[in-house]
Amino acid sequence: MSMEHVPVLREKARKLPLEPGVYIMRDSSGEIIYIGKAKALKNRVSGYFRSLEKHAPKVYKMVYYARDFDTIVTSSEFEALVLECSMIKQHRPKYNILLKDDKGYHYIKIGPGEYPRITAEKQLDSAGGGKWLGPYTSSFVVNQTVDAVNKAFMLPDCNRRFPADFGKGRPCLNFHIKQCMGLCRGRISKEQYADIIAEAESFITKGSAGTLVLMKERMEACSEALDFEKAAFYRDRISAVKRISEQHQSVVFANIEDGDVVALAQNAKDCCVALLKFRGKRLLDQQIFQLGEIESLPAARSDFLLSWYGSGRGEIPGEILIDGELEDEELVRRYLREERGKKTELRIPSRGEGLKLIKMASQNAAQQIAVKLERTGREVAALDELCRLLGLKNPPAYIEAYDISNYGEQTRVGGMVVFENGRPLKSAYRSFNIKTVEGIDDYASMREIVGRRLSRYEEEKETGQGFGRLPDLILLDGAKGHVGAVEPMVREMGFDIPVFGMVKDSAHRTRAIAENGGEIAIAKNRGAFSLVTKIQDEVHRYSITFMKKKHTKSSFELRLTKIPGIGYKRAAAILKH
């Protein structure tokens, strides 16, 4: 069996994050053949494409037919498990049936035939027909729900067969205490029964607001009629439906009856869109789209919505959650309304469940870009978040940060560190001796080292490296005073490079980002906050280390030169030795 495709998939798996999530194996036609969950996607998926001879025969066969895979990153392993269960139920992949042991999962079965029963099952066995709901993770809730729906809709739970046993014997006690509709009497048509079963299924799968409202009305009516026993019955049924919904995290169920969630992530050259599709409050699918280089995020969002929903490929839902502003928003709203024939709500969530879903979509979009950059999804998301926070056109792929360190007037130095795609690029670090500034003046010293760095650009721009590469963002270890001292000089030199400061609090921890005239709070933006803190700590460490090294060296040199016969050259040789 040829396995020529395995090295390609192994390399793709190597770039996955060490994050929990779901992976989806596809064959050459794009059909889903296996869905699994992982605590760490990189480790789990990579394992399929290593040491093939050690795989069990069924696993080996699945790997043989796999030609590509997708991943969905989740915030926890439990969410990955629930999403895996949901997607297996929806797609029924071939090798999940062969490879997956369903022990531990629980199902609700709507049996076959003209008069089906609703039962709780521990194992999936679709060979006998019928419809299966689930899988669910709690046997207690499944049993409670089956009991609730059978009582709520007065469905039979006896051993009689219908319609064969119609009219044979008197109805049982359940009929007389109004816990069964008395199907055995033969007075309910199969059409009427099918309608009841459809309502019961909707009651289980959606816990629909309409059904719950109706049951609440019945409960209150029973209470007013002093039929407290029946009112308690409806109360228990409402609680049972709510309990089954609470067992599923928002990764599978959300309070979106019919809607899509759209979020973008970008770097300097690429933009990616993640689309989460919710139907009947259930996450059905995720789709990823590559947009390439974009002009602006608002324009990209509008272009995507018009292109996707206007092409007829995407069904226009009743609600679309987006992660930011749109270009020509009113025109986009009108277009979607006319295409759908009725209003589609477009909204930007700022809190609650909607914001959580936006972050989930954004995380998955960032992960797609991260694969290309050989970075983690978090690193890409942090740069994207910093871009939006500072109002930059594109995420800053190449960041330079500067700091000044003094040891009295004798030792005054500056340090420059570089972060490329969210990680330190130590080969581009540079240190400076302060040459033109008299005394201790941090503003003038910062102006000097940034000016000297930018003046070297013309000399080295042909190399495209080090001083020959312009940064996308300059960060200064200091507040708005530092920015006010440096930014005008950068503009005078003809460079259109954003300049911001990194502000620390009294405990020497990153607090905000300074701009010329004010500050931008970043504490609530976790990704950007972590990145800026890392940059500020690194440039401070680098400049302090250089300052201490220089001070120590100069102190020893000064002492050695006081010895008769030893000058600066000989002192340097002794120190080197």
Side-chain angles (χ1 to χ4, degrees):
M1 300 176 91
S2 174
M3 289 287 194
E4 295 177 356
H5 61 286
V6 168
V8 177
L9 297 181
R10 185 189 303 130
E11 179 63 20
K12 181 177 178 180
R14 188 181 66 82
K15 299 175 182 178
L16 291 176
L18 290 169
E19 302 283 348
V22 170
Y23 54 93
I24 304 148
M25 299 288 186
R26 299 180 185 272
D27 62 15
S28 57
S29 66
E31 182 180 351
I32 296 175
I33 61 174
Y34 184 75
I35 298 171
K37 74 167 182 67
K39 184 176 182 179
L41 283 168
K42 179 179 179 179
N43 296 344
R44 178 62 173 159
V45 179
S46 296
Y48 285 109
F49 308 112
R50 294 196 304 260
S51 304
L52 303 183
E53 67 281 357
K54 296 182 180 180
H55 287 333
K58 293 177 181 179
V59 178
Y60 186 90
K61 193 172 182 180
M62 186 273 290
V63 173
Y64 171 74
Y65 284 109
R67 288 298 183 274
D68 197 7
F69 63 82
D70 301 321
T71 61
I72 299 177
V73 180
T74 60
S75 60
S76 70
E77 187 180 7
F78 177 73
E79 286 195 350
L81 167 68
V82 178
L83 180 56
E84 175 203 30
C85 295
S86 177
M87 295 188 73
I88 289 172
K89 168 189 173 295
Q90 296 156 29
H91 298 287
R92 302 291 185 205
K94 176 180 179 181
Y95 288 99
N96 278 97
I97 296 174
L98 295 173
L99 299 177
K100 185 99 181 147
D101 179 7
D102 282 326
K103 184 178 180 181
Y105 294 153
H106 303 272
Y107 300 84
I108 298 174
K109 180 182 179 182
I110 301 176
E114 296 178 348
Y115 295 91
R117 307 290 183 92
I118 296 181
T119 58
E121 304 290 341
K122 293 182 179 179
Q123 294 289 336
L124 176 64
D125 181 14
S126 56
K131 187 171 185 177
W132 294 78
L133 306 178
Y136 303 108
T137 56
S138 170
S139 61
F140 173 78
V141 172
V142 167
N143 290 330
Q144 289 289 306
T145 302
V146 169
D147 178 65
V149 76
N150 281 331
K151 290 180 178 178
F153 293 92
M154 302 176 68
L155 301 175
D157 60 1
C158 58
N159 294 324
R160 297 186 182 184
R161 296 181 181 181
F162 304 117
D165 289 340
F166 278 172
K168 296 181 179 179
R170 294 179 296 176
C172 64
L173 178 63
N174 281 346
F175 171 74
H176 295 289
I177 62 176
K178 299 183 179 180
Q179 288 193 2
C180 178
M181 65 179 68
L183 186 61
C184 56
R185 297 177 301 159
R187 298 178 183 178
I188 299 174
S189 68
K190 60 182 181 181
E191 290 79 15
Q192 290 175 311
Y193 192 80
D195 291 340
I196 295 171
I197 289 295
E199 292 175 2
E201 181 183 347
S202 176
F203 185 81
I204 295 170
T205 57
K206 299 179 182 179
S208 64
T211 305
L212 290 174
V213 167
L214 178 62
M215 296 196 73
K216 186 177 180 180
E217 290 174 352
R218 291 177 178 174
M219 178 184 69
E220 291 172 350
C222 292
S223 180
E224 290 176 2
L226 304 181
D227 189 351
F228 299 117
E229 184 177 351
K230 194 169 184 180
F233 152 76
Y234 282 119
R235 178 202 62 201
D236 294 341
R237 301 297 72 79
I238 292 172
S239 298
V241 173
K242 288 181 177 179
R243 281 199 300 272
I244 197 168
S245 297
E246 289 169 358
Q247 296 300 309
H248 297 270
Q249 305 300 308
S250 62
V251 68
V252 172
F253 281 109
N255 194 28
I256 302 178
E257 185 67 37
D258 174 32
D260 291 347
V261 180
V262 178
L264 284 69
Q266 63 168 156
N267 68 350
K269 296 182 178 179
D270 293 300
C271 182
C272 186
V273 180
L275 171 68
L276 305 179
K277 300 172 66 176
F278 285 86
R279 300 294 183 269
K281 298 186 178 182
R282 180 185 292 272
L283 176 60
L284 291 183
D285 197 10
Q286 174 191 244
Q287 291 179 275
I288 300 293
F289 306 89
Q290 298 288 346
L291 302 186
E293 193 169 354
I294 64 171
E295 181 180 351
S296 70
L297 284 171
R301 292 188 191 98
S302 296
D303 290 345
F304 170 75
L305 294 179
L306 295 173
S307 174
W308 174 245
Y309 296 114
S311 65
R313 292 182 297 168
E315 173 193 357
I316 302 177
E319 182 178 15
I320 301 175
L321 305 186
I322 54 177
D323 63 335
E325 295 179 353
L326 295 172
E327 186 176 79
D328 298 325
E329 181 177 335
E330 289 306 316
L331 292 177
V332 174
R333 289 179 181 274
R334 180 179 176 183
Y335 178 84
L336 293 175
R337 182 173 63 250
E338 292 183 356
E339 284 290 306
R340 184 170 182 251
K342 52 185 176 179
K343 183 180 179 181
T344 291
E345 183 181 0
L346 278 172
R347 65 185 180 95
I348 306 171
S350 58
R351 60 182 180 177
E353 183 182 49
L355 182 59
K356 181 179 180 181
L357 295 174
I358 284 290
K359 288 182 176 180
M360 178 180 172
S362 179
Q363 185 181 20
N364 282 280
Q367 176 55 35
Q368 298 301 312
I369 293 178
V371 169
K372 287 187 176 182
L373 297 177
E374 298 188 351
R375 292 292 191 265
T376 67
R378 287 183 178 179
E379 288 171 328
V380 173
L383 288 170
D384 189 57
E385 190 173 75
L386 184 62
C387 166
R388 301 185 191 202
L389 193 64
L390 301 183
L392 307 179
K393 182 178 179 181
N394 293 307
Y398 197 79
I399 301 173
E400 290 181 359
Y402 297 84
D403 187 21
I404 301 295
S405 290
N406 301 304
Y407 195 92
E409 294 188 12
Q410 295 178 346
T411 307
R412 294 170 297 126
V413 301
M416 179 191 90
V417 303
V418 176
F419 274 61
E420 184 177 36
N421 292 323
R423 292 184 187 176
L425 182 63
K426 294 192 175 182
S427 62
Y429 285 17
R430 296 292 185 269
S431 55
F432 302 84
N433 293 312
I434 306 302
K435 298 179 178 180
T436 63
V437 178
E438 296 293 336
I440 299 176
D441 186 339
D442 281 0
Y443 293 166
S445 298
M446 191 73 82
R447 228 179 5 250
E448 177 188 324
I449 65 172
V450 176
R452 284 164 55 190
R453 178 267 180 269
L454 294 177
S455 65
R456 294 280 297 275
Y457 172 69
E458 289 298 330
E459 301 173 19
E460 302 183 21
K461 65 181 180 180
E462 297 298 328
T463 66
Q465 298 178 347
F467 289 155
R469 180 179 179 182
L470 288 178
D472 300 315
L473 173 65
I474 291 176
L475 294 176
L476 311 175
D477 187 22
K480 59 185 179 180
H482 289 79
V483 178
V486 173
E487 188 177 39
M489 180 200 67
V490 174
R491 303 290 172 260
E492 290 171 6
M493 296 180 70
F495 296 104
D496 186 23
I497 303 170
V499 179
F500 291 89
M502 298 177 290
V503 186
K504 291 182 179 178
D505 59 19
S506 57
H508 215 64
R509 295 172 297 192
T510 304
R511 178 175 61 81
I513 293 179
E515 54 184 347
N516 197 355
E519 292 183 359
I520 302 171
I522 62 171
K524 293 183 179 180
N525 299 273
R526 184 173 298 179
F529 176 79
S530 298
L531 176 61
V532 173
T533 299
K534 185 177 180 182
I535 293 173
Q536 189 170 27
D537 290 345
E538 177 67 359
V539 71
H540 184 68
R541 178 202 65 80
Y542 182 69
S543 61
I544 285 286
T545 301
F546 176 60
M547 181 271 292
K548 289 181 178 179
K549 181 178 179 182
K550 179 177 173 59
H551 178 72
T552 301
K553 181 179 178 182
S554 63
S555 297
F556 275 112
E557 283 181 345
L558 185 61
R559 292 178 185 177
L560 287 170
T561 54
K562 290 182 178 180
I563 301 174
I566 296 181
Y568 281 104
K569 288 186 178 181
R570 182 160 294 182
I574 292 172
L575 287 172
K576 184 176 180 181
H577 177 74

